[in-house]
Each structure stands twice: as C-alpha cells, then as structure tokens.
Amino acid sequence: MTLRDHVWDAVMKQLVKTGQFRISDLPFDEGQRHTVRRVLRTMEELDWLSRENERAATWRMGERAELHLNVSADKIKAAQA
C-alpha cells in the first residue's frame, strides 16, 4: 500500500473511534506530514472530512462520513460541538 492508502485507512479508523482528530493524533512522522495534509485536503474536497475553516487544526467527519461510516449519532453530535 502507498502512504496515501495508509492515511485514508488511519483517518477512517480515527473517525469511527472519536469522530474527530488532529494531525498529531495520526500515526505518521514529520517526514510524512506533507502527504498527510494533501490527503486530508482531498478528503475534505470529497466531503469525507470537514473543518471550521482552512486554518483549523481539528478535522471532523464530513457529510459522506456521517452517511457511510458506522458511527453513533451521539459521537457525531459530540464531534460537531
């Protein structure tokens, strides 16, 4: 698998687990962060992720993630707060 694949996998697992995350919560080192950020922006464009604004450090579930991932409504609501 490529690094991009690993990022998608880690993000999906983190969303199911907590509903939100910061890049530092993901299992990637500093040398991989550029690719991680690119993947996160792509996931945001595809509505898998969302942020309050472009500078926000916390990533949350986007509309697609809410529709397709097996995450409780309570966890979704907490992540949006």
Side-chain angles (χ1 to χ4, degrees):
M1 277 198 298
T2 67
L3 177 56
R4 291 180 65 84
D5 297 333
H6 286 287
V7 174
W8 271 86
D9 182 61
V11 167
M12 293 300 188
K13 288 177 182 175
Q14 190 69 31
L15 289 177
V16 170
K17 182 178 176 183
T18 65
Q20 63 185 11
F21 64 91
R22 298 170 76 90
I23 291 176
S24 60
D25 296 331
L26 301 175
F28 301 102
D29 61 43
E30 192 61 38
Q32 298 169 317
R33 296 278 172 95
H34 179 72
T35 298
V36 170
R37 285 185 199 94
R38 280 194 344 245
V39 172
L40 296 180
R41 286 191 301 267
T42 298
M43 294 178 79
E44 183 178 31
E45 289 172 13
L46 296 171
D47 292 327
W48 285 100
L49 296 175
S50 67
R51 293 182 284 176
E52 290 180 13
N53 60 60
E54 285 186 18
R55 309 291 286 166
T58 302
W59 296 82
R60 294 179 171 80
M61 288 186 288
E63 190 174 316
R64 277 192 178 177
E66 290 177 12
L67 290 172
H68 298 292
L69 297 179
N70 187 18
V71 178
S72 71
D74 291 338
K75 195 175 286 185
I76 292 171
K77 185 181 266 186
Q80 292 173 345

